[in-house]
Amino acid sequence: MLDNLTTHIKKFIELHDTDVELINSVVSVKQVKKKAFLLQPDQVCRELYYVSKGCLRLYFINKKLNEQITQFAIENWWMSEYGSLESNKISNYYIQAVENSEVISISKLKLEELFEKVPRLERYFRIVQQRAFTASQKRIEYIYSMSDEERYRHFSSLFPDFIQRIPQYMLASYLGFTPQFMSKIRAKKV
Amino acid sequence: MLDNLTTHIKKFIELHDTDVELINSVVSVKQVKKKAFLLQPDQVCRELYYVSKGCLRLYFINKKLNEQITQFAIENWWMSEYGSLESNKISNYYIQAVENSEVISISKLKLEELFEKVPRLERYFRIVQQRAFTASQKRIEYIYSMSDEERYRHFSSLFPDFIQRIPQYMLASYLGFTPQFMSKIRAKKV
DNA sequence: TCTATTTATTAATCTTGATTCATTTTTTGG
DNA sequence: CCAAAAAATGAATCAAGATTAATAAATAGA
């Protein structure tokens, strides 16, 4: 649903009907099946994705050949691999649907054109980027101030609903430890 | 020097002389002595800081009563404690000068007013925020894909000049390990 | 220039969470 | 509804980096 995006934008800036039309004319809606990929290694990331329904994950394969998840995106969050998007260099990340999802995508190029036509959108994305940065910094704070076990309990208490939506091993990966260690702390809790 | 800031902004967007004057009328230049604070716990962070000369650090005191540095800012970087800035809640961070520094500061409120008068600035800050987010994500990638020792060697090879500017124990803190461990790996290298 | 304070080093011991490998439980697709 | 795959658990051993404590070196300020 295209509405989801413009409704979200309207929480931050005013949009005229003509703006809404302009936006809707350059984005596209994708139904993404669980486990389907929006980005794979050796591709250049050229799009940004807004999740209108479902859940995406961003991950890469580390030296030990394990998946390392660096981000999730659920409803009303943007996801992209900015390292590649900004540099036009090949990415070593995957973007994959964790659930059957509905995603609104826009190419970097179209977005640049859109900024020319609807300059107020710069403001929306400034705010979105600032929030993303703040969240990312908060995450670094947690990494450096809590043990893995504390971080697991903290995350669980902050997002009890979210942890029901994803397999445990994905949460373990996101939090930076092994599924075995996760089982150990969960067993302790009882 | 006010010039440093507007010169930097002009790398991303066009500024008319009137824009430059408007900007310069709402920012202020501060000479900050080494070890002086721009923010301390129990204050609300209400300003953003652009480093025109010198170096700032952002840190908090963790549960073990050690300083945990989460960011440095050198020439041409912005620093603020966005968690507090966005929410107007009390911060538990310090922003402190690591060297005698020159900082251009602008209050959040003045910046909001400035956005009304010079809307193209939204674009500048959107780009700055996006880069900051990208760097922050890259850092999370490194945290989760390298050992502490690897991260130290990687950081040293990327920023050989920077590590000369700061005490070792600050780099150890930023990288998330103890000064003792740092000494150990440095001793190994010989 | 001397003394304080700050910063860096070394070594022994300890802890958290990784690794390995086997087993069990749950989920999925045909 | 069943087989195969995916996900979760459990236990034994191991390793990276923390902790503690003492000392040494470098820096700054008076």
Side-chain angles (χ1 to χ4, degrees):
Chain A
M1 286 283 295
L2 291 168
D3 275 3
N4 285 320
L5 175 56
T6 45
T7 300
H8 187 250
I9 296 175
K10 281 178 182 167
K11 286 181 186 161
F12 300 92
I13 60 170
E14 281 179 35
L15 286 183
H16 300 295
D17 291 352
T18 51
D19 298 331
V20 171
E21 279 165 34
L22 262 169
I23 294 168
N24 288 342
S25 72
V26 293
V27 303
S28 62
V29 181
K30 294 182 187 181
Q31 303 299 330
V32 193
K33 284 233 175 94
K34 184 173 174 174
K35 295 195 183 175
F37 294 99
L38 290 167
L39 176 72
Q40 283 183 275
D42 297 327
Q43 298 177 343
V44 174
C45 181
R46 302 195 188 280
E47 294 184 317
L48 299 91
Y49 304 105
Y50 175 87
V51 179
S52 53
K53 188 170 158 299
C55 179
L56 305 179
R57 64 174 179 147
L58 179 69
Y59 72 95
F60 63 95
I61 305 296
N62 66 20
K63 276 175 244 162
K64 291 163 197 158
L65 302 182
N66 296 318
E67 294 174 357
Q68 177 58 59
I69 298 175
T70 60
Q71 270 188 74
F72 290 105
I74 57 170
E75 287 80 8
N76 303 323
W77 281 84
W78 285 91
M79 174 170 274
S80 188
E81 208 281 76
Y82 290 103
S84 171
L85 190 86
E86 287 174 8
S87 67
N88 295 311
K89 286 181 186 157
I90 279 174
S91 172
N92 59 333
Y93 278 85
Y94 298 82
I95 295 179
Q96 188 191 38
V98 176
E99 305 168 348
N100 292 328
S101 302
E102 186 181 84
V103 164
I104 299 175
S105 73
I106 181 168
S107 77
K108 180 190 169 187
L109 290 177
K110 292 279 183 194
L111 181 59
E112 284 298 333
E113 288 170 23
L114 194 57
F115 283 140
E116 301 296 323
K117 291 174 193 156
V118 191
R120 280 191 79 74
L121 272 181
E122 304 259 18
R123 180 177 177 84
Y124 168 72
F125 278 97
R126 175 181 66 77
I127 295 168
V128 164
Q129 291 297 348
Q130 184 168 314
R131 288 181 171 213
F133 176 63
T134 305
S136 187
Q137 286 299 117
K138 205 77 192 156
R139 183 151 166 228
I140 290 175
E141 175 185 326
Y142 293 148
I143 290 172
Y144 283 145
S145 64
M146 296 182 195
S147 69
D148 286 5
E149 179 168 355
E150 285 171 329
R151 237 167 38 257
Y152 164 70
R153 300 203 187 284
H154 180 251
F155 191 91
S156 302
S157 69
L158 279 185
F159 310 107
D161 299 333
F162 178 67
I163 63 169
Q164 303 297 341
R165 286 174 69 171
I166 55 167
Q168 275 182 44
Y169 77 91
M170 286 195 191
L171 181 56
S173 168
Y174 177 79
L175 293 175
F177 51 74
T178 60
Q180 291 88 333
F181 182 65
M182 181 112 166
S183 280
K184 211 194 253 178
I185 39 187
R186 283 166 53 87
K188 252 205 288 195
K189 200 171 190 176
V190 182
Chain B
M1 286 282 296
L2 291 168
D3 275 5
N4 285 320
L5 175 56
T6 45
T7 300
H8 187 250
I9 297 175
K10 282 180 182 166
K11 287 180 184 160
F12 300 91
I13 59 169
E14 280 179 36
L15 285 183
H16 300 294
D17 291 352
T18 51
D19 297 332
V20 171
E21 279 166 35
L22 262 171
I23 293 169
N24 288 342
S25 72
V26 293
V27 302
S28 62
V29 181
K30 293 182 186 179
Q31 303 298 330
V32 193
K33 285 233 174 91
K34 184 173 173 173
K35 297 195 181 174
F37 292 99
L38 290 168
L39 176 71
Q40 283 183 275
D42 298 325
Q43 298 176 342
V44 175
C45 181
R46 302 194 188 281
E47 294 184 317
L48 299 91
Y49 303 105
Y50 175 88
V51 179
S52 53
K53 188 170 159 297
C55 179
L56 304 180
R57 64 173 179 148
L58 179 69
Y59 71 94
F60 63 95
I61 305 296
N62 66 21
K63 275 175 245 163
K64 291 163 196 157
L65 302 182
N66 296 317
E67 294 174 358
Q68 177 59 58
I69 298 175
T70 59
Q71 270 186 76
F72 291 105
I74 57 170
E75 288 79 9
N76 304 321
W77 281 85
W78 284 92
M79 174 170 274
S80 189
E81 209 281 78
Y82 290 103
S84 171
L85 190 87
E86 287 174 8
S87 68
N88 296 311
K89 286 183 187 157
I90 280 173
S91 172
N92 58 332
Y93 279 85
Y94 298 82
I95 296 180
Q96 188 190 36
V98 175
E99 306 168 347
N100 291 328
S101 302
E102 187 181 84
V103 164
I104 299 175
S105 72
I106 181 167
S107 76
K108 179 190 169 186
L109 289 177
K110 292 280 184 193
L111 181 60
E112 284 297 333
E113 289 170 23
L114 194 56
F115 282 139
E116 301 294 323
K117 292 174 191 156
V118 191
R120 280 190 78 74
L121 272 181
E122 304 259 16
R123 180 177 177 83
Y124 168 72
F125 278 97
R126 176 181 65 77
I127 295 169
V128 164
Q129 291 297 349
Q130 184 167 315
R131 289 180 170 212
F133 176 62
T134 305
S136 186
Q137 286 300 117
K138 203 79 191 158
R139 182 152 167 229
I140 291 175
E141 175 186 326
Y142 293 148
I143 290 172
Y144 283 145
S145 64
M146 297 182 194
S147 69
D148 286 6
E149 179 169 355
E150 285 171 327
R151 235 165 42 254
Y152 165 70
R153 299 201 189 285
H154 180 251
F155 192 90
S156 301
S157 68
L158 279 183
F159 310 108
D161 299 333
F162 178 67
I163 63 168
Q164 302 298 340
R165 286 173 69 170
I166 56 166
Q168 276 182 43
Y169 77 90
M170 285 195 192
L171 181 56
S173 169
Y174 177 79
L175 293 175
F177 51 74
T178 60
Q180 290 88 331
F181 182 65
M182 180 112 167
S183 280
K184 211 194 252 178
I185 39 187
R186 282 167 54 86
K188 253 206 286 195
K189 199 170 189 175
V190 182

